[in-house]
Amino acid sequence: MLKTTFLAGAAALGLVLPAFAEITVENAYARSASPMAKSGAAFMLIHNSGETADRLIAVSSDAAARTELHTHLEDGNGVMRMVHVEEGFELPAEGMIAMQRGGKHVMLMGLNDAMEQGETVTITLTFEQAGDVVIEVPVDLERQDHGGMQHGTGTMKHGSDS
């Protein structure tokens, strides 16, 4: 009897849990303006193939003293300026976030070492629903896409949801 009650309770619990987003990352790359730069940025396409919207709420990396979500906004004078986006970015169900130069991106401030062509940077993306997604992002100092995502790859692995 106890076993049947436990199984029924577990089945009921499974019906009320939200369907977690299915997150994938592609075309990721990181760069800095020069070998002596104290900051860098990472760009990528983040896809949600799930039926539930999610939100990218934080980022972290051991490559820099501080890692933040940023975007560019135009002020009243037509000047673009970069701003920290504390609330993160909405990731719609069956949608994506395009993180690209001149727009949304991961900002790496206080780099621990110079970014060198061909190396990788580990970045953890934290989502409200999906939890942590750890990606290995290749450094590509030669890439010239200004606002467009072209070639390049990054690998993704899911971390814990804690």
Side-chain angles (χ1 to χ4, degrees), residues 5-25:
T5 303
F6 175 77
L7 291 175
L13 182 60
L15 296 175
V16 297
L17 292 176
F20 288 109
E22 297 173 27
I23 308 297
T24 56
V25 177

Side-chain angles (χ1 to χ4, degrees), residues 28-152:
Y29 75 101
R31 62 173 291 119
S32 60
S34 73
M36 300 303 291
K38 296 293 181 194
S39 63
F43 312 97
M44 64 202 73
L45 296 175
I46 304 171
H47 295 274
N48 175 1
S49 60
E51 295 177 6
T52 303
D54 207 337
R55 177 175 285 279
L56 176 61
I57 57 173
V59 288
S60 62
S61 177
D62 290 339
R66 216 167 72 213
T67 309
E68 296 177 347
L69 294 168
H70 279 210
T71 194
H72 287 85
L73 296 176
E74 187 175 337
D75 68 15
N77 299 318
V79 176
M80 296 298 285
R81 60 184 197 96
M82 188 171 31
V83 295
H84 176 207
V85 182
E86 292 183 41
E87 69 276 10
F89 301 122
E90 182 70 25
L91 180 55
E94 299 179 8
M96 76 167 196
I97 300 171
M99 300 186 78
Q100 56 196 11
R101 293 170 74 173
K104 299 171 185 169
H105 60 279
V106 173
M107 192 70 198
L108 302 160
M109 297 167 291
L111 291 172
N112 296 327
D113 295 304
M115 288 186 151
E116 295 189 28
Q117 182 72 20
E119 291 184 347
T120 60
V121 176
T122 302
I123 296 175
T124 301
L125 307 171
T126 302
F127 296 88
E128 277 182 343
Q129 302 298 317
D132 290 341
V133 175
V134 179
I135 58 174
E136 295 295 325
V137 180
V139 174
D140 188 345
L141 303 175
E142 298 168 0
R143 193 158 165 177
Q144 295 298 316
D145 59 325
H146 295 278
M149 299 302 292
Q150 297 169 3
H151 53 79

